[in-house]
Amino acid sequence: MTGDQPAKPVGKAGRNLPQAIGVGVALGGVIVASLLTVQVLFVGVVLLAVLVGLWELAGAFGRAEAVADAAGRTAQGATVGRGIRIPVIPLAVGSAAMLIAAYARGAQGLAVATALTAVAVMIWRMTEGAEDFLRDMTAAVFTVFYLPFLAGFAVLMLGDDDGAKRVLTFIILVVCADTGAYAAGVISGGRHKMAPTISPGKSWEGFAGGVILAAAAGALCVVSMLDGAWWQGAVVGVAAAAVSALGDLAESMIKRDLKVKDMGSLLPGHGGVMDRLDSLLAAAPVVWLLLAVFV
């Protein structure tokens, strides 16, 4: 998520704030509805998000590398090379298998499906020849773990008896971390930058605001929904906020390396689906583990 970057209705980054809020509320409504009705629908929602994210990431790999290659090689009078190619078909099939295995067989199912997906991706890419094999395979295996594997931990939460409440807690914590960071960044002016060369909009003031709001939300959610202690919820909230910020920075580094502004433009006011998933993906395994230990 974008963290604490200040924005007006149409800010410096071009973000339409009312539009972004509307899209965010609509997405949240779909998630909550799936959890409160037929919970297996949530697995479908996660899979859809992963597949769209996969499509965006594959496109960013291809476009960014081709542009960089063109700039570099054209200056030397050589031909323009192709971009990074990741095998989308086995990645998409493997993503579905990983999420279904996580829901049906738990952590062991997710682990086995992840390993099989990596092998399938390698075999598929081998049929396309040796040129740039290592580069493409590195990006493909990274994609396996960055997208469906991390998303699988949200599905693992659903497998518990109180799974819907765990998932709601997880989503609330990440949203509160993002909202708190944004509000604190706006109020304070974000004078002390966390990583100006990676994400200029993120500040330590915003990070503190996100941690405080997520800790309070964690204490409330764990006590009211999961019958845990308030301090346990606060710990989960602090951890979720910290890892969410790291996830945001990690995706910013990926975009800078690929030389793209947003992963896509599917979500008005937000960018691409990957621009919304970054914090959720990073926080999912941490929240899953802490809730498994505490509750």
Side-chain angles (χ1 to χ4, degrees):
M1 295 187 174
T2 55
D4 57 301
Q5 183 173 355
K8 296 178 181 179
V10 178
K12 294 180 180 180
R15 183 181 182 185
N16 187 310
L17 189 56
Q19 194 176 53
I21 293 174
V23 172
V25 170
L27 292 174
V30 171
I31 293 172
V32 172
S34 67
L35 290 171
L36 298 182
T37 54
V38 182
Q39 293 184 6
V40 71
L41 292 177
F42 176 73
V43 181
V45 172
V46 175
L47 176 58
L48 179 60
V50 167
L51 292 179
V52 176
L54 171 62
W55 173 70
E56 291 179 348
L57 195 55
F61 278 144
R63 291 194 313 271
E65 186 68 14
V67 170
D69 203 40
R73 296 193 187 184
T74 302
Q76 302 171 13
T79 58
V80 176
R82 63 177 177 80
I84 299 174
R85 294 186 301 179
I86 59 174
V88 175
I89 293 177
L91 279 170
V93 174
S95 295
M98 289 166 64
L99 296 180
I100 293 172
Y103 182 72
R105 297 294 181 180
Q108 184 177 8
L110 176 61
V112 172
T114 300
L116 293 176
T117 299
V119 172
V121 166
M122 180 179 66
I123 294 173
W124 187 285
R125 179 58 184 83
M126 288 174 65
T127 65
E128 300 178 357
E131 183 182 1
D132 296 324
F133 174 79
L134 183 59
R135 183 194 67 174
D136 293 350
M137 271 304 302
T138 301
V141 173
F142 165 78
T143 302
V144 170
F145 283 91
Y146 184 52
L147 263 175
F149 180 72
L150 292 182
F153 285 92
V155 176
L156 289 179
M157 293 184 215
L158 194 63
D160 291 292
D161 293 336
D162 54 357
K165 295 179 181 179
R166 290 176 185 248
V167 175
L168 281 175
T169 297
F170 156 63
I171 294 173
I172 289 171
L173 293 185
V174 175
V175 171
C176 285
D178 184 62
T179 303
Y182 179 84
V186 170
I187 294 172
S188 67
R191 290 181 293 272
H192 299 87
K193 303 300 182 182
M194 288 184 67
T197 60
I198 301 173
S199 182
K202 293 190 71 65
S203 67
W204 286 109
E205 293 89 349
F207 176 73
V211 168
I212 293 171
L213 186 58
L220 181 62
C221 288
V222 169
V223 169
S224 62
M225 291 196 293
L226 300 176
D227 296 325
W230 69 266
W231 65 267
Q232 293 173 328
V235 169
V236 177
V238 170
V243 180
S244 295
L246 290 176
D248 186 15
L249 290 174
E251 205 224 6
S252 294
M253 290 189 69
I254 293 171
K255 291 191 291 188
R256 285 184 177 274
D257 189 31
L258 297 176
K259 297 178 177 61
V260 297
K261 181 179 182 296
D262 291 318
M263 287 295 185
S265 57
L266 182 63
L267 302 178
H270 292 266
V273 169
M274 283 301 304
D275 298 300
R276 297 299 87 203
L277 288 180
D278 50 8
S279 299
L280 292 165
L281 291 172
V286 175
V287 174
W288 170 79
L289 177 60
L290 289 177
L291 289 181
V293 172
F294 286 151
V295 182

